[in-house]
């Protein structure tokens, strides 16, 4: 299926040029074009877009400000005549940044990059594992994923905390290796030293996840990803 894209630019000529590019790109479908971010707010409320080509400098509401109002799954490509905005664009996780005047090859390269990101996010997931085996005290121990509360990293070791088990399983394994092993749909990393099971999160108190008497911090490096997860479920 084609990517539904929206165009937002306060320059009529730039908007018409981008529309012509969309119409000759087979995997893109025009979901709407808007001459301001304010106009786009109303239009995109009824017609969702997978991808937005967004001018940065516009009156009333800038492209940077508007990009922060979009759903986290919406892909954004910034377009502008001012290259000093490039760094700001990537601070809001833009897929690409196009400097005006925009050629079709540059537009197509950005569109292909967006398509790649979209396909990765929407590819069918294989059947997920329901348990893992970890080495602990010279033995291989099977652990059911549904029983895991959280995992704590201690240098070269991990502590795996399970429901109804006061003693964690200790394993010689890195956090990165464990993170790669666990299904991302079930677990989320919230700190350099902590991975938690999503459906076991019951209480969040002042930026910490609470498991009984244990408070797990959410570090700045993972705060945005964790907040996006909460926003999708709130």
């Amino acid at each position: 299926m084609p990517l539904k894209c929206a165009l937002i630019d306060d320059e009529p000529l730039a908007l018409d040029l981008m529309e012509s590019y969309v119409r000759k790109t087979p995997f893109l479908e025009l979901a709407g074009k808007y001459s301001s971010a304010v106009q786009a707010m109303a239009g995109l409320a009824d017609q969702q877009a997978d991808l937005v080509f967004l001018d940065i400098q516009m009156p009333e509401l800038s492209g940077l400000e508007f990009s922060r109002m979009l759903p986290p799954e919406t892909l954004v490509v910034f377009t502008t005549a001012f290259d000093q905005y490039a760094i700001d664009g990537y601070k809001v996780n833009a897929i690409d940044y196009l400097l005006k005047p925009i050629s079709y090859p540059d537009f197509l390269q950005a569109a292909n990059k967006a398509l790649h990101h979209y396909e990765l996010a929407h590819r069918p997931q294989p059947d997920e594992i329901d348990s893992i085996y970890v080495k602990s005290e010279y033995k291989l121990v099977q652990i059911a994923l549904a029983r895991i509360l959280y995992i704590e990293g201690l240098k070269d070791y991990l502590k795996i905390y399970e429901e109804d088990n006061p003693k964690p399983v200790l394993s010689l394994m890195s956090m990165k290796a464990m993170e790669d092993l666990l299904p991302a749909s079930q677990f989320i990393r919230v700190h350099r030293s902590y991975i938690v099971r999503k459906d076991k999160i019951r209480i969040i108190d002042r930026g910490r996840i609470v498991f009984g008497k244990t408070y797990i911090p959410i570090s700045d490096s993972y705060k945005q990803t964790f907040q996006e997860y909460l926003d999708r479920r709130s």
Side-chain angles (χ1 to χ4, degrees):
M1 293 180 63
L3 283 179
K4 293 182 179 179
C5 70
L7 309 174
I8 307 172
D9 200 309
D10 63 335
E11 299 177 24
L13 291 178
L15 202 57
D16 290 343
L17 178 66
M18 295 291 282
E19 181 182 4
S20 72
Y21 289 169
V22 170
R23 296 199 182 281
K24 66 180 179 181
T25 305
F27 58 85
L28 294 181
E29 176 185 312
L30 187 63
K33 64 174 186 175
Y34 310 96
S35 58
S36 73
V38 174
Q39 186 185 84
M41 287 174 60
L44 293 180
D46 298 323
Q47 175 68 49
Q48 292 296 317
D50 305 309
L51 169 63
V52 175
F53 289 91
L54 180 58
D55 186 25
I56 290 180
Q57 189 150 342
M58 292 183 290
E60 298 183 275
L61 186 65
S62 76
L64 288 173
E65 293 167 331
F66 181 67
S67 70
R68 297 186 179 99
M69 302 166 62
L70 292 169
E73 65 272 14
T74 303
L75 304 172
V76 175
V77 174
F78 281 123
T79 63
T80 185
F82 301 94
D83 57 5
Q84 68 264 31
Y85 286 105
I87 295 176
D88 288 334
Y90 285 103
K91 283 182 180 177
V92 288
N93 298 320
I95 292 298
D96 210 344
Y97 170 90
L98 295 175
L99 186 63
K100 297 178 181 179
I102 300 166
S103 68
Y104 182 63
D106 287 343
F107 173 89
L108 186 59
Q109 183 177 6
N112 273 307
K113 189 183 293 187
L115 179 64
H116 176 69
H117 279 262
Y118 182 86
E119 289 176 338
L120 283 178
H122 291 82
R123 65 184 176 185
Q125 296 297 315
D127 292 337
E128 292 184 337
I129 57 175
D130 58 9
S131 65
I132 57 173
Y133 286 89
V134 297
K135 192 171 183 180
S136 181
E137 298 178 353
Y138 306 102
K139 299 175 291 187
L140 276 178
V141 178
Q142 184 184 35
I143 299 178
L145 298 186
R147 288 177 48 80
I148 296 175
L149 292 173
Y150 64 94
I151 298 161
E152 180 182 9
L154 300 168
K155 292 186 178 180
D156 297 328
Y157 286 85
L158 297 178
K159 285 184 175 180
I160 304 170
Y161 292 84
E162 301 173 275
E163 283 182 316
D164 306 320
N165 188 351
K167 185 179 179 182
V169 176
L170 188 65
S171 179
L172 180 61
M173 190 176 185
S174 71
M175 284 291 279
K176 179 65 170 62
M178 177 58 79
E179 186 177 17
D180 291 342
L181 181 61
L182 296 171
S185 63
Q186 300 178 41
F187 292 85
I188 186 168
R189 192 164 182 176
V190 297
H191 189 277
R192 181 182 57 172
S193 302
Y194 290 98
I195 298 171
V196 299
R197 183 171 172 89
K198 294 176 179 179
D199 63 4
K200 303 297 184 184
I201 299 172
R202 299 287 185 267
I203 300 173
I204 302 167
D205 180 17
R206 287 170 288 186
R208 299 173 298 174
I209 299 168
V210 182
F211 289 107
K213 296 182 179 180
T214 302
Y215 287 76
I216 294 176
I218 303 165
S219 69
D220 290 340
S221 301
Y222 298 95
K223 189 171 292 182
Q224 180 177 347
T225 302
F226 185 69
Q227 187 60 51
E228 289 173 356
Y229 163 72
L230 291 181
D231 289 344
R232 289 194 296 270
R233 299 180 60 91
S234 302

